[in-house]
C-alpha cells in the first residue's frame, strides 16, 4: 500500500473536526482583542490624555477589525466547505490542521501591523500571512471537492471555482506589494478583499438547494 | 439578482453558528479575569500589604462582575433569538459576526474602566460600548424575527418588542452621560441595567410553549 | 405573576447551557498555565541557573495542579447534575452563570497563591474562593434536584445529599483557617479535598441505571 | 465494594467528554501563538531592524510549529480512541483529565524552548514533557481498549498496539537525551517524531470499517 493511500484511510465523523475548528476560530477572534492594551496614563483622571491615547490606538483598532472580519469570512467558508464532505479522512484532517495552524498565527501579524503601521515590512508581512492562509484554505477546499464530496452536490460545483478562488491570495499579495509604496493603500486593499466573499458564490446556491433536500 | 438578495441565500444549519458563538461568549467571560493581575508586593509575606492591594483591586473586581453579568445576559438572549430561527443565511451570519465582534471587544472597555475608574471618559466609554453592543444585538434579533422566524412562533411575537428592547441602549447611554457628573452614578446604572433582562419577557413565554410542542 | 415565578419560565434546551459551560471550564483550566511564566535568565545558556529557576517555580506548579484537578472535579459534577435536569429555565441558567463566574475567577487566586505561597492571606484567600465556588455549585444542584429533576431519577436521590455536599466548603474553609498557622497544612488540605469526590456517590449509581435505561 | 470498582461506575455520555477535550485542545494550540511577542523596535519605521528581529524569532516559530503539529496529532489520536469506547466512566474521565492536564501544560515548555533554544535543559525539558504526555495518552488508550471497547471493534485491535505505541515516548526521550550533545539534533528528532503518526495504523483501518457499518 502506498503512503499516500494510507492518508485516504481513517474515515471519521465530521462532528469533532467541526468542534475543534470552531474552537480555534472562536479563540483566534477573541484573542485579537488582547493586543488592545489599556494605555498607561501619567494622570489617571485626565480626560484629554486618555482621549489622546485612545486615538493613538486607532491603527490597532483597525488591524483588529480587519483581522476579525477576515477570520469570520474564513469561518463562514470553512462551514460551507465542510458541509460538502460526506465524511473526514486523515488527509483532510491534516489539511484542516495546517489551515488552522495558519489561522492561529493571525494574532501575531495583526499585532505587528497594529504596532508598526508605518513600517512597510510589518504591513507587507500581514498581507503575506493572509495570502498563505487563503492558499491553505483553497488546498483544503480542493481536496474535499475532489475526494470527499457528497455525490448529490458534485454536479453543482463550478468547474472554474478554483481559479476564481485565487482572486483572494492575489489580492492579499497585491496589498503586500502596495505596502512598500503606501501603507494606506495596503490597508484599503486588506479591508476591501474580504468584501468580495461576504455573499455566497452562485454555484453554492445550487449546493444549498441540495443541502435543503438532505438536511442533516 | 440584487446584491441584497444574495445575502438571503446560503441556507445553513444553525448548529455551527451556535457553536462558534458559544465559543466566543465563553472566551470573552473567561478572558475578563486576566485583567485581575496579581499585585506586586514589596514584602511577599506581608498580610497587610496584600490586603491593601486586594482592596485597591476592588474597582477592577466590580468592572469584571458587571461585564460578566452583562455578557451572560447577552448569551441568554442570543440563545433565545437563535431558537426562533428556522435556519441561518448569509445576512444573519454576518449580523451575528458583527455582534460577536462587539462582544469580543468587551474586555478592553472593562479593563479601561477598572484601571481608570475615576476618569469620566473611561467610564463613559464603557457605557457607549455596551449601548453599541445592545444595538448590534437588536439588529440581529430584528432580522431573525422579520425574515427567518419559524411560522409557529411568528404569532406569539410582541409587535412592540423592538421598541421595548431600546430601553437597553438608552439605559447604557444614560449611564455614559451620567459618568461626566458622577462615576458612581454611572457604575450603579451599569450594574442595574442587566437586571431588567434577567427574567424572560412575557411574549417569550408563549414562544416557549410553541417550542415545547416542537422540541428540536 | 410573582417575580420569582417568572424565573421559572423560559424553558430551554440544555445543549447550549452545556456547550457554554464546557467552553468556560476548558478555558479556565487552560488559562491556568499562563501564570507559569518563562523565567528571565542572566545567562541564557546556563543549565544550573535555569534548573534553579524551575525549582523556584515549584509552588506555582503546585497551585496550578491543585486548581486544575479541582476544576476538573467541578466539571465532572456539573456534567452529572445537568444530566439530572429535564430541561433548563431562567433561574437555573442564572444559577449556572453565577457558578461559572466563580469558576472563571479561579485563575486569580491560583496565581496569587502561586506567587505568594508564604503569605497566609494569599493561601487563605484561595481556600475562601473554593469554598464559595462549592457553595455556588451546591445552590445549582439543589435547585435542579428540587425543581427540574427528571421524574424517573427523583426516587434515587439521597435525601441527605445536600448535607453531605457541605463537606466540600467545610474542608476548604478549614484549609483557609489552617493557612494562618501553617501554609503547608493548607496546601495539603486543598490537595486532599477534591480526592473525596473523584468517585461517584452511591446514590448516583442508581441514577446512572435510570440514565442507562433512558439514554439521550 | 472496592474503591477501584467505584471508579468503574458513573456511566456517562461521551459527548461532553469530547466537547471539554476539544475545547482544551483548541485553546492549547491557539495559546501557543501568544509566545510570539511583537518585538520592540528602536526605530518603528526601520525595515532592516524589524527583519532582523523577525529572524531572531525563528527558534520561537519553530517551537510553536513543532508543538502545534504534535498537539494536532494528539487530538487526532484522541478522536480515534474515544470513538472506540461505548461510553465513559469515572476512571476514564479522570485518565482523560490527567491527559488534558499534560496537554494544557504544553505552552510552558514550548515557550521555554523557544526562549532558551541554546540551553540543553530547556530543550531536554521539552522532550521530557512530551514523553510524559504520550505516556498519559497511552494510559487512557489502554484503559479504554481493555475496559470500555465496543464489542464489534474488540477483534480488530492489534495485540501489539501498546508495545508499538511506546515508540513515541522513546523517541521523545532520545531527543531529550540528544539535547545534551546537540540542541539541533534534539530539534530534528522532535520535529520528525509526530510524522510517524500522521497516517492511521493498520489495525485502525479494520476498526474504521466497523465504525462505517455502525455510524453514530
Amino acid at each position: 500500500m502506498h503512503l499516500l493511500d494510507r492518508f485516504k484511510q481513517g474515515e471519521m465523523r465530521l462532528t469533532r473536526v467541526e468542534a475543534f475548528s470552531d474552537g480555534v476560530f472562536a479563540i483566534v477572534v477573541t484573542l485579537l482583542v488582547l493586543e488592545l492594551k489599556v494605555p498607561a496614563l501619567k494622570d489617571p483622571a485626565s480626560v484629554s490624555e486618555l482621549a489622546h491615547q485612545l486615538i493613538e490606538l486607532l491603527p490597532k483598532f483597525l488591524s483588529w477589525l480587519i483581522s476579525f472580519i477576515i477570520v469570520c469570512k474564513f469561518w463562514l467558508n470553512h462551514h460551507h466547505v465542510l458541509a460538502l464532505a460526506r465524511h473526514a479522512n486523515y488527509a483532510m484532517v491534516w489539511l484542516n490542521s495546517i489551515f488552522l495552524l495558519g489561522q492561529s498565527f493571525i494574532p501575531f501579524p495583526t499585532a505587528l501591523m497594529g504596532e508598526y503601521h508605518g513600517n512597510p515590512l510589518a504591513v507587507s508581512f500581514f498581507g503575506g500571512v493572509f495570502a498563505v492562509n487563503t492558499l491553505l484554505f483553497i488546498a483544503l477546499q480542493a481536496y474535499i471537492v475532489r475526494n470527499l464530496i457528497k455525490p448529490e452536490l458534485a454536479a453543482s460545483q463550478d468547474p472554474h471555482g478554483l481559479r476564481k478562488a485565487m482572486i483572494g491570495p492575489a489580492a492579499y499579495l497585491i496589498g503586500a506589494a502596495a505596502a512598500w509604496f503606501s501603507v494606506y493603500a495596503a490597508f484599503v486593499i486588506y479591508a476591501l478583499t474580504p468584501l468580495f466573499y461576504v455573499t455566497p458564490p452562485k454555484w453554492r446556491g445550487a449546493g444549498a438547494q441540495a443541502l435543503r433536500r438532505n438536511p442533516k
Side-chain angles (χ1 to χ4, degrees), chain A:
Chain A
M1 188 165 60
H2 285 288
L3 182 66
L4 282 174
D5 284 338
R6 290 188 64 184
F7 274 109
K8 293 184 184 167
Q9 285 193 302
E11 194 169 307
M12 288 180 285
R13 278 176 293 130
L14 282 162
T15 332
R16 279 195 73 185
V17 181
E18 289 182 347
F20 180 58
S21 308
D22 281 342
V24 171
F25 282 119
I27 300 156
V28 168
V29 295
T30 323
L31 284 185
L32 289 171
V33 89
L34 292 185
E35 279 309 313
L36 299 174
K37 300 241 165 57
V38 171
L41 300 185
K42 282 168 202 162
D43 174 6
S46 164
V47 167
S48 62
E49 192 184 353
L50 179 56
H52 182 74
Q53 293 283 343
L54 288 178
I55 289 164
E56 287 280 298
L57 278 175
L58 270 184
K60 290 197 180 180
F61 281 115
L62 203 59
S63 290
W64 167 73
L65 199 70
I66 292 173
S67 289
F68 193 102
I69 295 296
I70 296 178
V71 176
C72 284
K73 182 204 66 108
F74 273 119
W75 173 80
L76 189 54
N77 292 355
H78 189 265
H79 181 110
H80 261 294
V81 165
L82 259 68
L84 300 175
R86 51 184 195 275
H87 61 81
N89 67 8
Y90 262 65
M92 181 220 145
V93 167
W94 278 112
L95 286 170
N96 191 59
S97 295
I98 294 166
F99 165 69
L100 294 175
L101 178 97
Q103 293 292 303
S104 79
F105 187 61
I106 286 173
F108 180 72
T110 305
L112 201 72
M113 185 169 83
E115 184 72 33
Y116 302 119
H117 48 91
N119 191 315
L121 179 56
V123 179
S124 189
F125 186 72
F126 183 91
V129 168
F130 278 96
V132 170
N133 268 286
T134 314
L135 287 171
L136 292 174
F137 180 74
I138 290 171
L140 174 66
Q141 181 176 17
Y143 184 84
I144 289 174
V145 168
R146 282 186 198 158
N147 297 281
L148 296 171
I149 197 160
K150 289 170 185 159
E152 68 272 24
L153 296 175
S156 64
Q157 296 305 306
D158 181 351
H160 306 296
L162 204 64
R163 211 182 307 159
K164 287 178 190 168
M166 286 297 169
I167 295 170
Y172 289 121
L173 288 177
I174 290 169
W180 296 94
F181 302 96
S182 159
V183 292
Y184 299 103
F187 261 76
V188 170
I189 292 169
Y190 297 158
L192 292 180
T193 302
L195 299 185
F196 287 113
Y197 297 96
V198 291
T199 64
K202 279 174 191 166
W203 57 273
R204 273 178 191 152
Q209 282 169 15
L211 276 175
R212 208 175 304 160
R213 286 192 300 269
N214 302 285
K216 189 179 172 179

